[in-house]
Amino acid sequence: MSSERKKNPEHFQLNPNWAQLQQKLKSSAKPSRHSKNPQSETPNSILGKRKERPNSETDDAKPNPLMPTNDDSSVTDVLAMDCEMVGVGQGNKSALGRVTVVNKWRNVIYDEFVRPVERVVDFRTHISGIRPRDLRKGKDFRVVQKKVAELIKGRILVGHALHNDLKALLLTHPKKDLRDTSEFQPFLKEGRRKALRHLAAEVLGVEIQNGEHCPVDDARAAMLLYSKHRKEWERSVKDQLRLKEKQKKRKQRKKPKADINHSLIAS
């Protein structure tokens, strides 16, 4: 008997009470389609608000422009460097405590703590961020110096007040290959240099060096400043090199005339 009911469900008798309930549900469902009752609109409005939440959250979360644009950690034709110093001697003499180098994509390609040759008497932690434990695991100065020299050789070097960093490393670099954000004309204010943190805030809209300095952020900020003004910067460097070349040629042309006049007087 049960098998016949399954095969022919239309012959199955519904409970009269259940049939009445179904009829009531059908009759109450029809007017709800055209109902103007504001309560019926509530679920839609709630769902709408939920959909808006992710958008509002993404608007508030601003990405950090200093972060790398990709994961390429190769040694590029342009590198940015920043160093942090510690105090040696009487404490007023600076020595290299950490050096960071990033490529043009702002990926770190070298970042090492350094054990200075002289004994450290002031770690300058409030600025350098360096602590005794960092230098205990640091590399020998000569090892770091050699590695950095290899990295920057033949490449454009970007940084802020690079003469201080190069002095701490006891290295030199061709002036034509230096891109110092402290000396770039558009970054100067009435001929005076600005601090890197001020340039980062004004040009990049980024806050850095709030408390302990991070050489990674500083190197990335310098690289981003260079990247944003690269065309203009490289044009100005070429103009300066042309001007120097012209001045050099003029001096060479004047020298033979002076030699001729001297020989005439002597005869």
Side-chain angles (χ1 to χ4, degrees), residues 180-191 232-233 240:
D180 197 323
T181 54
S182 71
E183 296 179 0
F184 186 46
Q185 189 63 40
F187 294 161
L188 302 180
K189 184 178 180 181
E190 297 175 356
E232 181 187 359
W233 204 324
Q240 289 173 6

Side-chain angles (χ1 to χ4, degrees), residues 14-264:
L14 288 171
N15 187 304
N17 293 332
W18 175 243
Q20 285 180 358
L21 179 61
Q22 279 188 325
Q23 198 66 29
K24 283 182 181 181
L25 288 170
K26 286 180 182 178
S27 61
S28 62
K30 286 179 182 178
S32 65
R33 292 178 186 174
H34 305 287
S35 175
K36 294 184 180 179
N37 189 344
Q39 291 180 352
S40 64
E41 297 174 3
T42 306
N44 293 334
S45 62
I46 291 170
L47 288 172
K49 285 181 181 178
R50 284 177 183 170
K51 288 177 182 177
E52 289 170 6
R53 282 178 189 172
N55 295 333
S56 61
E57 287 174 1
T58 51
D59 291 340
D60 294 337
K62 293 181 181 178
N64 184 354
L66 296 183
M67 295 306 291
T69 54
N70 57 44
D71 58 356
D72 185 348
S73 297
S74 61
V75 181
T76 52
D77 57 339
V78 181
L79 300 175
M81 181 174 72
D82 188 76
C83 297
E84 293 301 331
M85 315 298 176
V86 291
V88 296
Q90 299 298 317
N92 56 351
K93 183 182 175 183
S94 295
L96 184 67
R98 183 181 176 184
V99 58
T100 303
V101 181
V102 304
N103 64 10
K104 68 179 180 181
W105 312 118
R106 300 189 292 282
N107 285 304
V108 176
I109 61 171
Y110 193 71
D111 183 27
E112 291 291 348
F113 289 102
V114 186
R115 292 196 305 271
V117 178
E118 297 182 58
R119 188 174 69 89
V120 178
V121 295
D122 185 1
F123 288 89
R124 303 176 183 175
T125 306
H126 64 290
I127 295 174
S128 69
I130 298 172
R131 290 163 174 77
R133 64 175 180 269
D134 297 323
L135 298 195
R136 280 197 290 271
K137 62 181 179 181
K139 289 192 175 181
D140 183 75
F141 171 79
R142 292 173 186 84
V143 174
V144 174
Q145 181 194 44
K146 184 181 178 182
K147 181 62 178 179
V148 173
E150 291 172 356
L151 286 171
I152 67 176
K153 186 178 180 180
R155 293 181 171 88
I156 291 174
L157 183 61
V158 180
H160 192 82
L162 278 167
H163 60 281
N164 292 329
D165 296 337
L166 291 169
K167 183 180 178 182
L169 281 157
L170 301 178
L171 294 174
T172 59
H173 201 67
K175 195 172 181 180
K176 66 180 181 64
D177 292 334
L178 293 177
R179 304 293 182 268
D180 197 323
T181 54
S182 71
E183 296 179 0
F184 186 46
Q185 189 63 40
F187 294 161
L188 302 180
K189 184 178 180 181
E190 297 175 356
R192 289 181 296 176
R193 299 173 182 177
K194 290 184 180 180
L196 181 60
R197 65 188 180 91
H198 293 150
L199 288 175
E202 293 170 17
V203 182
L204 306 177
V206 176
E207 288 188 7
I208 60 171
Q209 299 180 350
N210 289 332
E212 296 179 9
H213 293 196
C214 174
V216 175
D217 286 346
D218 292 356
R220 283 173 172 170
M223 180 58 82
L224 189 55
L225 286 167
Y226 168 76
S227 300
K228 283 183 173 291
H229 295 80
R230 183 180 60 82
K231 289 182 180 179
E232 181 187 359
W233 204 324
E234 292 304 321
R235 198 183 303 118
S236 68
V237 170
K238 285 180 181 178
D239 291 342
Q240 289 173 6
L241 290 173
R242 285 196 199 101
L243 182 62
K244 285 183 179 179
E245 196 64 32
K246 285 180 181 179
Q247 290 173 346
K248 189 177 178 181
K249 286 180 179 179
R250 284 175 188 172
K251 287 180 181 179
Q252 288 175 348
R253 287 172 187 171
K254 288 178 181 179
K255 281 182 180 179
K257 290 181 180 180
D259 293 339
I260 291 167
N261 293 333
H262 181 73
S263 60
L264 288 171

